[in-house]
Amino acid sequence: MRTYRSLAAAALAVLGLTLSACGASTPGAEVTTSGSGSSNAATAASVADLGGMDKLVEAAKAEGQLNVIALPRDWANYGAVIDAFKAKYGITVNEQSPDASSKEEIAAADANKGTDKAPDVFDLGTNIALTSTDYFAPYKVEQWDKIPADNKEATGLWVNDYTGVMVVGYNKTKFGEITSLDQLTDPKFAGTVALNGKPAEAGAAFNGFMLANLANGGTFDDGTAGLDYFKKLNEAKTLNLTDVTPGTIEAGEHGVVFDWSYNMVPVATSLKAQGVDWATFLPKDIAVGSYYNQAINKDAPNPAAARLWQEFLYSAEAQNLWAEGGALPVLASEFEGEFSEAAKAAVPKVSDLQSPTTEQADAMTKFLQDNWDSAIS
Amino acid sequence: MSNPSTVARAVRNLRDGAATLPFFGYLAVFLFLPTVIVILGAFRTRDGVFTLEPMSRLLQPATLQIFLTTSWLSLASALIGAVVGGAAAYALSLTSITSTTRRVFTAVCSVLAQFGGVMLAFSFIAVLGKNGNLTRLLADAFHVVIPGDFLASVPGLIVVYSYFQIPLMVIVFLPAVDGLRVEWRDATANLGGSSLTYWARVAAPILAPSFLGCLLLLFANAFSAYATAAALISQRNIIVPMAIEGAIRNENNAGMDAYAQALATGMILVVALVMGGYTLIQRRASRWHR
């Protein structure tokens, strides 16, 4: 039956049997186990364990492959980061399931365990990172000491990599300047205001909800104000409940979106070419953020390449690329002096980044699970 | 007991049974095994300890509401499909088996009955969506305004689902109405019965079991449909299959896998209940058979 098939297809996709998304595998490059470096690489907790950076590069080049997962090319400038890594080391990067959720990254590691299709590295939201530490290999990058203690797991299981700031991006050419969230009930915004996903399920949408909640007088412990606000938008018929992609924004379906600063930079760039001014605003200067986390799969098929990728991400070069994409990399203050003009312009200026604690986030997720669907139906 | 004929019969039974092995093997792997995995998963924590927590979550108001919406959507679209499709199948049964009309019509229905998912969603968006052709035409010519979020609402989904339910009914119900014989109608008339008598006392009892069977098939078809609704509605979980997908994908709460399996178990329960009810009705409806 068709419908069973589609459910089954969804289930298979979720199980990480991603047959299509294994990007640029070079023909015949069936990597099973690579050179002798791998065995030490798989247990190496720092470059020193391998006898220095040159040895790590050598081992990674011998593997010649890196599997990354859930990294959309237009998310935090990841496309440029991946290309720079390829160019620098001549290693093939297989980009699997770019639109997968953090949860699905772990599911893919489970489903493909022991094969050369398993992801080598993860980029995870906080909740999944904290609950999946069994999957990680501890590793401390060369810049380890420069990363603040609050931004890393002490043994190196996971490390904060970058955060965005939740902003409201909008089509200024069409709607004029937006200065307050209250304006979004205006009929001129009919069916065009959106969150990026379901707030009880997706990090970007959850934080978008948090921003609206704080701006309307709510707190990290009480989401009623945010819920009332989205009820109001829904009643005013301005809330749009379809998922946001760069495509839906370009097609004009979404004119106002709550999203990460680093998702708005590529949108603004591509709309500028069409003569549209895509602006962002921060209601009441509230900066809501939530760091993503880097971790290495302990069953990585390419353990050396995984560690080299980690080293690369915390180098000035990759941190600069993230900043150019509108993200705030964890070592921004460290490398600020080396940033390009583009990075200096795009990096969010944040004095006071607000994030909910794990307990607050869990309670708020529960609140949204219980109330979101009924509030906006 | 070992006279040759019994032995021969036993051998024959075995041989006939062996022929069905591939079928049962297939069922075991693709139906029975996943069902067992899902049901076991619904009662276990991530560490494999027995728990009732996920199943107890099925009784939360929000989850009950999702089941209610799904059931109501499935029932409404199944009823529309059964009534309209049933009438169309009857009309079609009056044409000759070899007529072109009938061939074309059944071919079209076979295709449309399988038309679903993103394709179906997109074709409706193009016709009835915010900027759909029909939406614009109705607004310009008749000042009838289709709300922009119509397709993302339950009534909208009922309309979309009917699009594949009606042709499916035609396909599955046609053999039953084809079985109605002209002689029965003549016999009723000869015995002084009106057209109404014929339908009430002859055709309805004969058709009832298979009509109910088709209605059940349509219900299950809508109940498990996922891709169409997911393409039309992305930010609310209003039906069970979408709630399952949401639970599997959830990145704010990693402990949702068991809940997804509890939801699937709930779906199995609903279909089992419907099947049970159907068996009872079937038994009543076909009493005259015995």
Side-chain angles (χ1 to χ4, degrees):
Chain A
M1 197 180 284
R2 176 203 60 257
T3 45
Y4 280 122
R5 256 211 312 278
S6 54
L7 246 188
L12 283 181
V14 165
L15 284 172
L17 301 174
T18 39
L19 302 170
S20 56
C22 303
S25 315
T26 41
E30 283 300 313
V31 184
T32 42
T33 47
S34 326
S36 57
S38 295
S39 50
N40 336 337
T43 54
S46 72
V47 153
D49 292 354
L50 283 161
M53 194 58 142
D54 296 347
K55 286 277 190 292
L56 175 62
V57 173
E58 196 180 309
K61 279 185 173 168
E63 286 167 355
Q65 304 271 333
L66 174 74
N67 299 338
V68 299
I69 185 167
L71 305 182
R73 293 188 70 86
D74 51 11
W75 174 282
N77 211 12
Y78 254 122
V81 175
I82 289 167
D83 293 343
F85 181 78
K86 278 189 206 167
K88 188 165 180 178
Y89 298 111
I91 289 172
T92 306
V93 180
N94 306 311
E95 299 168 48
Q96 301 169 347
S97 316
D99 294 323
S101 75
S102 297
K103 181 78 185 295
E104 289 166 314
E105 295 182 48
I106 300 296
D110 258 334
N112 297 309
K113 193 175 171 169
T115 73
D116 60 5
K117 292 275 182 284
D120 287 308
V121 286
F122 303 115
D123 185 24
L124 303 164
T126 303
N127 186 300
I128 301 293
L130 292 175
T131 50
S132 310
T133 47
D134 297 354
Y135 291 83
F136 306 155
Y139 187 78
K140 296 180 179 179
V141 292
E142 284 192 307
Q143 306 290 346
W144 178 259
D145 296 335
K146 295 181 182 140
I147 300 167
D150 290 348
N151 297 96
K152 61 194 179 191
E153 195 277 332
T155 61
L157 285 172
W158 52 260
V159 190
N160 282 175
D161 45 16
Y162 59 87
T163 177
V165 171
M166 202 27 80
V167 295
V168 180
Y170 66 99
N171 184 332
K172 196 170 175 178
T173 310
K174 189 170 173 183
F175 298 119
E177 179 122 31
I178 298 179
T179 50
S180 145
L181 288 183
D182 298 337
Q183 285 169 264
L184 299 183
T185 52
D186 185 326
K188 74 177 176 185
F189 294 108
T192 190
V193 182
L195 285 167
N196 189 1
K198 297 179 194 141
E201 285 165 27
F206 177 85
N207 285 285
F209 175 85
M210 280 299 199
L211 174 63
N213 183 40
L214 296 180
N216 282 286
T219 64
F220 283 133
D221 296 305
D222 180 7
T224 322
L227 203 64
D228 289 341
Y229 175 72
F230 283 104
K231 266 187 206 166
K232 217 164 60 185
L233 289 191
N234 196 38
E235 279 155 16
K237 299 273 181 223
T238 58
L239 190 63
N240 179 319
L241 292 167
T242 50
D243 276 341
V244 179
T245 66
T248 58
I249 292 177
E250 296 216 1
E253 189 183 344
H254 291 118
V256 182
V257 300
F258 289 78
D259 208 344
W260 292 121
S261 49
Y262 50 72
N263 285 341
M264 296 292 93
V265 170
V267 168
T269 310
S270 80
L271 286 178
K272 199 181 228 157
Q274 301 171 32
V276 172
D277 182 7
W278 186 263
T280 56
F281 100 100
L282 263 185
K284 302 183 184 173
D285 291 327
I286 298 166
V288 173
S290 169
Y291 273 97
Y292 273 81
N293 305 277
Q294 248 345 285
I296 293 172
N297 183 357
K298 71 171 186 206
D299 300 311
N302 307 297
R307 283 155 178 77
L308 184 62
W309 170 252
Q310 196 94 326
E311 294 286 357
F312 179 71
L313 291 182
Y314 291 89
S315 71
E317 187 179 352
Q319 297 273 312
N320 179 62
L321 287 171
W322 270 336
E324 280 183 10
L328 177 66
V330 71
L331 292 170
S333 49
E334 190 64 35
F335 291 126
E336 223 161 5
E338 299 171 53
F339 276 178
S340 67
E341 289 309 311
K344 282 177 185 160
V347 74
K349 322 286 182 283
V350 181
S351 50
D352 174 28
L353 190 74
Q354 304 189 49
S355 308
T357 64
T358 311
E359 293 75 26
Q360 284 173 325
D362 285 348
M364 189 62 79
T365 296
K366 176 93 183 63
F367 171 79
L368 286 165
Q369 281 169 349
D370 292 343
N371 297 301
W372 177 257
D373 286 340
S374 55
I376 57 166
S377 53
Chain B
M1 280 301 284
S2 62
N3 66 43
S5 71
T6 344
V7 173
R9 197 176 315 136
V11 168
R12 202 169 50 240
N13 282 350
L14 265 181
R15 200 186 54 214
D16 294 350
T20 63
L21 270 183
F23 171 69
F24 283 112
Y26 179 86
L27 276 191
V29 173
F30 288 101
L31 190 71
F32 184 69
L33 188 67
T35 307
V36 170
I37 290 172
V38 162
I39 293 174
L40 286 180
F43 291 97
R44 286 211 188 139
T45 62
R46 283 175 89 183
D47 316 322
V49 185
F50 177 83
T51 172
L52 283 172
E53 195 269 339
M55 288 304 280
S56 70
R57 274 203 249 175
L58 286 185
L59 299 174
Q60 290 174 339
T63 312
L64 286 175
Q65 182 59 50
I66 291 175
F67 268 96
L68 205 67
T69 307
T70 315
S71 306
W72 144 238
L73 163 67
S74 307
L75 188 65
S77 73
L79 281 171
I80 292 173
V83 171
V84 179
Y90 177 70
L92 213 53
S93 74
L94 302 178
T95 60
S96 99
I97 293 247
T98 53
S99 74
T100 318
T101 319
R102 179 167 177 148
R103 282 187 174 162
V104 169
F105 207 83
T106 45
V108 168
C109 282
S110 308
V111 173
L112 292 184
Q114 295 300 321
F115 191 60
V118 177
M119 299 179 298
L120 178 66
F122 180 73
S123 44
F124 266 90
I125 289 169
V127 175
L128 274 176
K130 206 184 304 179
N131 297 317
N133 301 329
L134 189 61
T135 315
R136 294 238 285 271
L137 184 76
L138 287 174
D140 296 345
F142 308 102
H143 301 291
V144 177
V145 178
I146 306 259
D149 59 354
F150 175 69
L151 289 178
S153 65
V154 175
L157 277 184
I158 291 174
V159 170
V160 176
Y161 278 25
S162 301
Y163 195 81
F164 59 73
Q165 296 281 57
I166 293 169
L168 180 63
M169 181 71 183
V170 172
I171 304 273
V172 295
F173 195 56
L174 192 55
V177 280
D178 269 341
L180 290 177
R181 306 188 100 95
V182 183
E183 296 88 330
W184 297 341
R185 178 169 273 225
D186 295 344
T188 316
N190 290 341
L191 294 169
S194 63
S195 182
L196 187 67
T197 322
Y198 165 72
W199 275 107
R201 310 294 296 274
V202 181
I206 289 173
L207 291 179
S210 67
F211 184 82
L212 285 170
C214 295
L215 187 67
L216 176 73
L217 175 76
L218 263 57
F219 177 88
N221 189 35
F223 197 75
S224 61
Y226 159 76
T228 311
L232 288 167
I233 305 169
S234 38
Q235 296 192 357
R236 276 181 308 159
N237 293 331
I238 63 166
I239 59 172
V240 184
M242 288 172 79
I244 292 176
E245 189 247 9
I248 290 171
R249 276 194 68 114
N250 196 317
E251 53 185 22
N252 298 352
N253 176 353
M256 298 286 278
D257 288 348
Y259 176 63
Q261 286 169 314
L263 284 169
T265 307
M267 284 181 87
I268 293 169
L269 279 175
V270 170
V271 173
L273 280 174
V274 174
M275 289 289 281
Y278 164 73
T279 315
L280 290 177
I281 298 173
Q282 179 84 306
R283 211 175 280 164
R284 262 206 71 78
S286 54
R287 248 198 321 209
W288 58 272
H289 252 311
R290 294 198 289 273

